[in-house]
Amino acid sequence: MAARGSQDLLLTLIGTYFLGQKRPIPSGFLVKLLQEFDVTAVGARNGLSRLAGRGFLEVHRPGRNTYYHLSPEAHVHHAERLSEIVNFGDNPEPWDGTWTVVLFSVPENLRAHRHVVRSRLSAMRFAVLYDGVWVRPGTLREQARKALGDFDVPKLTLLSGAVVDAAFGGIDPVSVFSLEALRDKYDQFIEASRTLRADIRAGRVGSAEALRQRARVMHQWRFFPDHDPLLPAGLLPHDWPVQRAREAFLEIYDGLSELADHRFRTLLTEFSADLAGEVRSMTSVELLDLHLPARGLGPLTGRT
């Protein structure tokens, strides 16, 4: 597994099982946990070191032992991200027929700014209509202003509530969103999940396999919140597969939770029986409205 892949897997597992948990996690357990996913001990330790360097994990070394836990920023980040991933596709946004448009021009000597502006617009699910013109359906005045307002870009204009009266040359704003490629990704996800879903219903999945498959499907599903432009229902093609894909994801995520949790706690018990007795993952229902007062965190708002 590539270095960044092991880091992503670590974040997925730690965020799933230790969200809100402030007790230190033995490094030996995290190394053994990753070995369940065919990550070598060296690869696991390198992944932990890099995550600590990126600020996601905090390190404690009492004596000769090493422990980790999520940083405060990572707790908030994971709370938002888990909620976003699990709830993605639940309720399509209504559309009032308007568009938000961002127009900008960045000179060559500020090329780095251009890259950051494009990255932030992509993260907000804008798409390129023309060079320097990005669009997204709906009114996102405040979100876009907040995301783009801290740049020293000499020419940047934000338009909200825009209406398309005509599109010459075949460049309708809807056409710039790559929906066919995305449909293929959804269809592949649904098809790839069929055998596992049948095995879950028949009780043919063991606890070790449940832990691996649940983390795998979480990693695969997170692609869609990052790449689906979330167009309103009225702009989507007929029989758009997001709901069927979401049902497949939830059947696996919730259907494997008890078995995966059992395997996780079994591995952790060898290193800390007390901590093993406290950890469990959240169901999709619990993540619908994520609040963690019982686990030491107040109400959280934001994204992972």
Side-chain angles (χ1 to χ4, degrees):
M1 178 177 288
R4 189 56 186 257
S6 64
Q7 292 176 60
D8 290 342
L9 177 59
L10 266 170
L11 284 175
T12 295
L13 292 166
I14 295 173
T16 299
Y17 287 95
F18 293 104
L19 183 63
Q21 174 60 254
K22 295 186 176 182
R23 290 184 57 180
I25 309 163
S27 65
F29 161 70
L30 294 173
V31 171
K32 185 165 185 176
L33 177 64
L34 283 187
Q35 289 176 326
E36 293 275 297
F37 297 85
D38 299 322
V39 179
T40 66
V42 172
R45 293 190 182 96
N46 286 340
L48 286 166
S49 177
R50 290 190 177 101
L51 285 178
R54 292 166 59 194
F56 285 105
L57 296 178
E58 294 183 348
V59 188
H60 300 274
R61 293 189 174 92
R64 300 179 61 183
N65 298 315
T66 301
Y67 296 86
Y68 292 90
H69 65 73
L70 286 170
S71 67
E73 295 79 9
H75 276 296
V76 176
H77 176 70
H78 276 291
E80 296 172 342
R81 184 64 163 158
L82 275 173
S83 182
E84 178 191 38
I85 290 171
V86 173
N87 295 315
F88 175 76
D90 184 25
N91 293 306
E93 298 178 5
W95 187 45
D96 62 1
T98 66
W99 295 80
T100 299
V101 183
V102 175
L103 308 95
F104 68 92
S105 178
V106 180
E108 281 300 309
N109 64 321
L110 293 176
R111 186 181 302 177
H113 285 58
R114 182 188 305 158
H115 173 73
V116 176
V117 171
R118 289 172 174 171
S119 296
R120 291 201 182 183
L121 287 169
S122 295
M124 295 176 66
R125 302 186 179 92
F126 280 78
V128 182
L129 184 61
Y130 303 108
D131 289 343
V133 180
W134 293 59
V135 296
R136 178 181 162 173
T139 299
L140 296 135
R141 181 188 300 113
E142 294 306 320
Q143 299 97 310
R145 181 182 296 167
K146 182 178 180 181
L148 301 171
D150 58 350
F151 285 108
D152 184 19
V153 177
K155 296 179 180 179
L156 189 150
T157 302
L158 172 64
L159 306 176
S160 61
V163 178
V164 176
D165 291 324
F168 301 100
I171 309 297
D172 185 283
V174 179
S175 69
V176 301
F177 295 92
S178 303
L179 296 182
E180 285 309 309
L182 188 59
R183 180 193 285 275
D184 289 343
K185 288 284 189 182
Y186 276 123
D187 290 341
Q188 291 168 17
F189 179 88
I190 294 168
E191 184 60 33
S193 72
R194 291 189 191 281
T195 299
L196 179 57
R197 293 164 71 192
D199 288 343
I200 293 171
R201 295 167 193 163
R204 294 192 293 261
V205 182
S207 61
E209 183 67 9
L211 178 62
R212 290 191 293 269
Q213 293 290 358
R214 195 176 189 228
R216 180 188 62 82
V217 80
M218 171 68 85
H219 179 74
Q220 292 175 338
W221 180 247
R222 67 190 292 177
F223 169 89
F224 297 109
D226 291 339
H227 293 86
D228 190 326
L230 280 179
L231 296 182
L235 294 178
L236 291 172
H238 174 68
D239 194 29
W240 186 244
V242 63
Q243 291 297 328
R244 288 182 285 116
R246 182 173 188 271
E247 289 168 5
F249 164 70
L250 291 181
E251 182 175 355
I252 295 171
Y253 179 82
D254 286 333
L256 293 179
S257 62
E258 186 174 345
L259 285 168
D261 285 9
H262 174 74
R263 179 61 176 172
F264 192 91
R265 286 193 293 266
T266 298
L267 294 171
L268 182 53
T269 297
E270 177 184 339
F271 298 87
S272 176
D274 290 344
L275 183 57
E278 295 180 9
V279 299
R280 71 173 182 86
S281 62
M282 295 183 186
T283 66
S284 61
V285 173
E286 291 173 309
L287 287 167
L288 285 172
D289 185 19
L290 187 57
H291 297 279
L292 302 174
R295 303 176 92 183
L297 296 177
L300 299 175
T301 58
R303 337 178 2 157
T304 345

